[in-house]
Amino acid sequence: MSECSEDIHKTHFTSEIGPDLDGKIVVLAGWVESIRKLGGIKFIILRDKEGRSQITVPKSNSKVFDEVDKLGKEYVILVRGKVRKIEKAPQGAEVIPEEIKILNTSISPLPLDPSGKVDANLDTQLDNRVLDLRRPEKTAIFIIRHEASKAIREFLIKRGFIEINTPKIIASASEGGADLFPISYYEKEAFLSQSAQLYKEQMSSVFEKVFEIAPCYRAELSRTVRHLSEVYTVDVEVAFNNYLDVMELLEELISHVFKHIKKKCSEELKTLNRELPVLKTPFPRYTYTEIVEKLQAEGIEMNWGEDISTQAYRKLGEILKGLYFIVDWPTAGKPFYILPRKDNPEICESFDLMYEWLELASGGTRIHKKDMLIERLKEQKLNPESFAFHLKTYDWGMPPHAGWGLGLDRLVMVLTGAENIRDCVLYPRDRDRLTP
């Protein structure tokens, strides 16, 4: 290939190449997606972050024409050429190159087809993740994820929330339970954080309205399409609110995200063959007791107070479509910080947000009285001394508060129609995968 001048830099993205640039000299840079020959013309499809452009090399340009044969799929190239208006080309224009420079090469054959025309199994995709992410449908998923995170931040900040960053190395369990990753922390044992729960509760006594978008870590032993060991959550906590207040906030946020994605990601949704509904609020609400009754009527064996099994959730997905809440769960099955109802302490002020069979979020009213919190810790066989750093903040005026945690990865599953959560995380971590 010819040597380009040192002062030549990329001037345009592929999305900018159109009939309005007819006759202009541009410099594109990206990856070779495909090469084909048709008589005395060779065509290169060049891909960059914005899309694709057609590079048309006529035989009359003998120097560039002959050297196109040196190119391979996923070669990184720089193209300097003139835009030509032509209706049949993508976006109504093509680039006639005056020179092409190879910036880097790739191996052949590639471990998978980044054009997406040849299927690859999930392990092959994840083992070669960077190449896999160049596939159009995978790129679309992460553009949608980016826009969803952006929409969430904008929504909450506009509502007066402060974004916080809480520790991910902690001294004791955030919520109790054994699903912790212990780590060596100097001369002590520490753990990776299960959630921002205790810290965001404390921050509600400072800033009143707080949120965080960050990872949390759970030693999940299951191998399912919806569980990972490292997940991203949207955590929200609001002072002087109860669970009904934050449920309303959550459904408004979800509706905002759906509208934002429909508006900003129409091309990505088209790539994924995904059509998002227009959401109507409020979302349907069913009590835990009503859900048990529905499942029993469908032949699922379940007693009041039991966890809802995967089989039962699958059945719910068949009979309840779209988004809905399950409210008023048994107190014994919820974390120690959830407030029991005054009229019936066996039931607590809690909720889960569901999308058919998939749990997206969980939340509730928190206990803000220290004595009650200590009592609940003991009921769940947790040592209050392990939570001394948290309990002492209740001596300084803890307001009533409520909040929720929303699984960002699972929300992206719903937005994109992905069937496996691993498709919605750049580098998924589970009990079988620690690389790449």
Side-chain angles (χ1 to χ4, degrees):
M1 288 295 153
S2 60
E3 290 295 327
C4 290
S5 304
E6 290 298 327
D7 60 348
I8 291 181
H9 299 285
K10 182 171 183 172
T11 62
H12 293 76
F13 286 105
T14 56
S15 61
E16 298 172 296
I17 304 303
D20 57 315
L21 292 181
D22 185 45
K24 301 290 185 182
I25 297 294
V26 299
V27 179
L28 300 179
W31 292 261
V32 175
E33 185 166 283
S34 66
I35 304 169
R36 63 188 179 91
K37 303 172 187 177
L38 187 62
I41 303 175
K42 295 177 181 178
F43 299 95
I44 304 167
I45 299 300
L46 180 71
R47 185 189 70 247
D48 65 12
K49 70 181 283 292
E50 298 289 337
R52 290 155 183 78
S53 278
Q54 178 174 294
I55 313 299
T56 302
V57 188
K59 194 171 185 178
S60 58
N61 187 343
S62 58
K63 186 175 183 181
V64 176
F65 186 85
D66 291 341
E67 293 190 346
V68 169
D69 294 336
K70 297 179 181 179
L71 299 178
K73 286 186 177 181
E74 298 306 301
Y75 274 38
V76 185
I77 63 172
L78 185 145
V79 178
R80 182 182 183 274
K82 183 180 291 187
V83 177
R84 183 172 72 176
K85 179 180 178 180
I86 180 169
E87 290 183 3
K88 293 182 179 180
Q91 301 167 207
E94 62 186 2
V95 175
I96 309 299
E98 296 179 358
E99 53 186 339
I100 298 175
K101 180 179 181 181
I102 296 176
L103 303 178
N104 217 334
T105 62
S106 62
I107 63 169
S108 181
L110 294 165
L112 58 80
D113 179 13
S115 72
K117 295 176 182 177
V118 180
D119 289 335
N121 64 42
L122 183 61
D123 280 336
T124 299
Q125 294 172 31
L126 296 178
D127 287 342
N128 304 281
R129 191 56 160 159
V130 169
L131 194 58
D132 176 52
L133 291 171
R134 295 177 186 172
R135 299 166 69 189
E137 66 273 19
K138 295 301 178 67
T139 303
I141 287 173
F142 288 94
I143 291 174
I144 289 173
R145 182 182 175 116
H146 161 72
E147 288 292 341
S149 298
K150 176 182 173 183
I152 290 167
R153 276 194 169 89
E154 289 175 347
F155 176 90
L156 292 171
I157 291 170
K158 189 174 181 180
R159 295 295 187 96
F161 281 78
I162 295 290
E163 184 170 6
I164 60 173
N165 302 109
T166 63
K168 303 306 165 205
I169 300 175
I170 59 175
S172 61
S174 306
E175 302 184 4
D179 56 344
L180 287 162
F181 285 111
I183 61 172
S184 176
Y185 190 71
Y186 302 104
E187 294 80 26
K188 303 175 183 178
E189 182 182 53
F191 305 93
L192 294 179
S193 174
Q194 294 168 301
S195 81
Q197 184 60 43
L198 304 187
Y199 293 101
K200 67 176 180 173
E201 286 192 58
Q202 294 175 22
M203 290 301 97
S204 73
S205 76
V206 180
F207 301 109
E208 296 193 27
K209 302 169 76 172
V210 298
F211 79 97
E212 179 176 36
I213 304 176
C216 64
Y217 304 87
R218 304 204 174 212
E220 291 282 359
L221 298 179
S222 55
R223 294 180 174 93
T224 78
V225 298
R226 69 188 194 278
H227 288 103
L228 289 174
S229 300
E230 179 182 58
V231 297
Y232 271 76
T233 61
V234 181
D235 275 290
V236 160
E237 206 70 26
V238 192
F240 309 109
N241 269 207
N242 61 30
Y243 77 132
L244 298 176
D245 299 319
V246 294
M247 283 171 65
E248 183 177 340
L249 175 75
L250 177 56
E251 63 191 2
E252 289 177 0
L253 180 142
I254 296 294
S255 296
H256 172 75
V257 171
F258 268 61
K259 289 178 184 176
H260 181 89
I261 297 301
K262 283 172 67 70
K263 180 179 179 181
K264 296 290 187 179
C265 300
S266 58
E267 287 302 313
E268 288 75 22
L269 291 171
K270 184 178 179 181
T271 297
L272 296 168
N273 194 27
R274 181 70 169 164
E275 186 173 347
L276 294 180
V278 176
L279 299 183
K280 296 180 180 180
T281 57
F283 301 157
R285 287 157 166 73
Y286 304 96
T287 66
Y288 169 85
T289 300
E290 289 173 328
I291 291 296
V292 171
E293 292 170 351
K294 285 180 181 293
L295 290 170
Q296 290 172 340
E298 293 290 330
I300 301 292
E301 294 185 8
M302 179 181 178
N303 296 319
W304 195 95
E306 293 179 352
D307 287 338
I308 300 176
S309 66
T310 299
Q311 178 192 10
Y313 275 126
R314 291 283 188 183
K315 178 59 67 173
L316 283 179
E318 295 175 11
I319 61 178
L320 298 175
K321 298 302 180 181
L323 290 147
Y324 61 94
F325 286 106
I326 303 176
V327 302
D328 299 339
W329 288 72
T331 303
K334 283 293 181 179
F336 63 87
Y337 48 79
I338 296 291
L339 181 69
R341 280 175 46 170
K342 288 183 179 179
D343 59 340
N344 183 359
E346 290 188 2
I347 296 173
C348 57
E349 295 187 5
S350 60
F351 63 85
D352 284 0
L353 175 64
M354 306 293 301
Y355 179 81
E356 297 180 357
W357 73 281
L358 187 67
E359 178 192 332
L360 294 184
S362 183
T365 310
R366 320 305 192 186
I367 295 171
H368 67 282
K369 299 289 188 180
K370 184 177 181 179
D371 291 345
M372 182 184 292
L373 194 57
I374 291 173
E375 182 180 337
R376 286 285 293 132
L377 282 164
K378 291 178 178 177
E379 286 176 7
Q380 297 204 357
K381 296 182 169 42
L382 296 170
N383 184 359
E385 291 183 6
S386 298
F387 296 84
F389 80 98
H390 180 60
L391 290 169
K392 71 179 182 181
T393 65
Y394 285 67
D395 294 330
W396 307 330
M398 180 65 72
H401 56 286
W404 40 258
L406 167 67
L408 179 59
D409 312 315
R410 290 188 179 185
L411 177 60
V412 175
M413 286 181 69
V414 173
L415 292 170
T416 62
E419 295 182 357
N420 195 314
I421 196 170
R422 288 157 186 79
D423 282 326
C424 301
V425 177
L426 284 175
Y427 296 100
R429 294 288 179 259
D430 57 32
R431 65 181 302 184
D432 301 312
R433 182 169 290 277
L434 190 56
T435 60

